[in-house]
Amino acid sequence: MRIDILTLFPEMFAGPFDHSIVKRAIENKLVEIHFHNIRDFSKSKHRHVDDYPFGGGSGMVMMLQPIADAIEKLRSERNYDEVIFLSPDGKLFDQPEANRLSLLNNIILLCGHYKGIDERIREHFISLEISIGNYVLSGGELAAAVVCDSIIRLIPGAMSDETSALSDSFQDHLLSAPVYTRPANYKGWKVPEILLSGHEAKIKQWRHEQALKRTQEHRPELLDRITEE
Ligand code: SAH
């Protein structure tokens, strides 16, 4: 998989991509991530990337030309399955969408800043708009990092125990069951007996019941989605 990230602040990705599963996936060449600084595509004298909004109002708007040129250059080099804009008014990101994106070959992630980007970019280049939640960030970088992390960990080989991604919360519209590790008894706080029994089928059943119970208590609306499908 190849991910091209268009951003004004490529340095913001250093932290999230330099550790743990994502770092290993990059090192093992399961994913290639390429950063493109939108400013490098500016044709204005002072490398401007933003301008005042037509019609007035507060805030600056990211200009069309540098972003259009960046996307066109990338598209002349290869085909992209999705050209994604991170935006608070996009489709709310969830696990099924992460699963779908993790199977694609080439994607572009465009990070907005300021008031957002010139609407014509969205009309003419963007195939998918993603929001990571109903709140506003100062830029698309953190959102892009979230999307990348969630899809990269799903690429086969990214996690040492591959089946573990399948038992995560949301994979079957259920939250995951509680987990425990040693010691079995910590100052009188005991691990559920069943988990120490070695009885695989019963443990599986217990975990399913716990997942249902937890979902019922914390996120009952997820259960509606099971019956809808
Ligand atoms: N004026 C815009 C918000 C701009 S925030 C509005 O009200 O919709 C600046 C940039 O941050 C956006 O262009 C987008 O790329 C990113 N961003 C902000 N919140 C986000 C969210 N919840 N999900 C994804 N991207 C977000």
Side-chain angles (χ1 to χ4, degrees):
M1 175 176 214
R2 174 183 168 118
I3 304 175
D4 287 278
I5 300 182
L6 305 187
T7 168
L8 289 174
F9 302 98
E11 311 78 28
M12 280 185 74
F13 292 88
F17 289 176
D18 285 354
H19 303 277
S20 182
I21 294 173
V22 174
K23 178 188 182 198
R24 250 196 341 262
I26 295 169
E27 282 173 357
N28 294 338
K29 308 219 179 328
L30 300 176
V31 60
E32 264 179 48
I33 303 180
H34 298 265
F35 297 99
H36 310 275
N37 193 327
I38 295 167
R39 203 171 289 283
D40 294 340
F41 292 86
S42 172
K43 288 196 174 131
S44 80
K45 209 162 58 189
H46 298 289
R47 303 218 302 156
H48 276 151
V49 288
D50 58 336
D51 209 334
Y52 296 99
F54 276 128
S58 64
M60 300 297 276
V61 176
M62 284 175 73
M63 292 157 66
L64 206 150
Q65 175 269 317
I67 299 174
D69 285 359
I71 295 176
E72 274 173 351
K73 175 172 178 283
L74 287 172
R75 287 208 310 203
S76 72
E77 293 164 355
R78 69 194 61 74
N79 286 326
Y80 284 91
D81 303 299
E82 296 280 12
V83 180
I84 301 168
F85 177 50
L86 285 312
S87 184
D89 57 10
K91 179 172 177 247
L92 207 54
F93 193 56
D94 59 9
Q95 193 61 42
E97 188 68 345
N99 293 346
R100 185 181 77 81
L101 295 182
S102 75
L103 300 172
L104 302 181
N105 292 322
N106 299 313
I107 61 174
I108 291 176
L109 295 176
L110 170 62
C111 306
H113 240 88
Y114 317 118
K115 268 316 259 185
I117 62 172
D118 191 305
E119 187 68 18
R120 289 166 289 181
I121 291 287
R122 301 173 72 164
E123 288 166 8
H124 296 285
F125 290 109
I126 300 301
S127 62
L128 173 66
E129 301 182 328
I130 292 180
S131 164
I132 63 158
N134 294 329
Y135 41 79
V136 178
L137 302 164
S138 50
E141 286 74 14
L142 292 175
V146 166
V147 169
C148 285
D149 186 300
S150 71
I151 64 185
I152 289 169
R153 65 195 288 283
L154 295 170
I155 299 174
M159 285 204 266
S160 40
D161 178 3
E162 276 176 47
T163 55
S164 113
L166 298 175
S167 62
D168 281 333
S169 286
F170 305 115
Q171 279 301 8
D172 43 13
H173 301 306
L174 290 180
L175 303 179
S176 68
V179 291
Y180 301 85
T181 185
R182 284 187 288 186
N185 185 344
Y186 177 80
K187 299 179 181 174
W189 301 344
K190 290 188 186 145
V191 165
E193 209 53 54
I194 180 87
L195 295 176
L196 311 174
S197 69
H199 197 302
E200 234 174 88
K202 279 192 183 154
I203 291 173
K204 197 168 165 215
Q205 195 198 341
W206 179 86
R207 286 197 168 131
H208 183 68
E209 285 162 10
Q210 292 294 314
L212 269 175
K213 181 164 165 262
R214 188 164 276 206
T215 311
Q216 191 82 63
E217 281 168 12
H218 298 258
R219 301 290 305 277
E221 81 281 4
L222 291 175
L223 294 173
D224 298 340
R225 295 180 61 173
I226 300 178
T227 42
E228 275 165 22
E229 277 171 10

